[in-house]
Amino acid sequence: MPLGVRFAAVRISAAIMHAAIGSEERDAVADVARDVFRGPVMAGLRSLGLTYWALVPWRAGVYWPALPDTPYLGKGAHLSVPTIDRTELPGPHWIAPPRYAYDLCSLERLFDVGMRGSHILERDARTRR
């Protein structure tokens, strides 16, 4: 599905998501998607491992800071979107499916979680040195 028309997506590495919420449990990620992001989140395996995609509003010229492993994907990008009832591996699946038409996550809340996860990973890396 082409992005940058009706919606965009923010790709979030599992490392950042799990660090930010303090858990690798699927239910914990689903709770954050529903209660914090307030929108749909998909998951799937890439060559780099588990990855999440949060569907967000598309805005021309949106400012999205360069967060590590958390790009804003808009015009020119494509995303494989699973059927609404696909909620388990293998393949792309919903962690939190959309609840209604045009149900989208909050960019601001995604940014907060991305920043938190990045800071935690950086802190942990410094601690291990």
Side-chain angles (χ1 to χ4, degrees):
M1 180 170 262
L3 298 175
V5 178
R6 294 189 177 177
F7 60 88
V10 172
R11 186 177 67 219
I12 308 166
S13 73
I16 287 176
M17 178 76 85
H18 297 161
I21 66 174
S23 176
E24 295 181 12
E25 294 297 319
R26 184 186 196 298
D27 289 344
V29 176
D31 289 346
V32 167
R34 184 181 56 253
D35 301 336
V36 177
F37 299 159
R38 297 187 182 158
V41 175
M42 300 181 308
L45 294 174
R46 299 177 60 221
S47 59
L48 301 173
L50 182 63
T51 302
Y52 299 98
W53 291 268
L55 302 185
V56 298
W58 179 77
R59 298 178 189 153
V62 70
Y63 171 72
W64 186 256
L67 289 173
D69 297 325
T70 312
Y72 177 87
L73 307 170
K75 226 164 189 44
H78 288 76
L79 186 64
S80 295
V81 178
T83 60
I84 201 75
D85 61 344
R86 187 174 191 116
T87 58
E88 299 291 333
L89 286 169
H93 60 283
W94 294 103
I95 295 294
R99 298 162 294 179
Y100 49 85
Y102 303 107
D103 182 22
L104 299 171
C105 294
S106 163
L107 274 172
E108 293 79 11
R109 291 169 185 251
L110 281 165
F111 175 75
D112 290 345
V113 168
M115 285 295 294
R116 186 176 335 131
S118 294
H119 288 304
I120 290 169
L121 292 176
E122 287 172 13
R123 182 195 67 207
D124 291 351
R126 282 192 307 270
T127 304
R128 281 181 259 155
R129 289 184 202 164

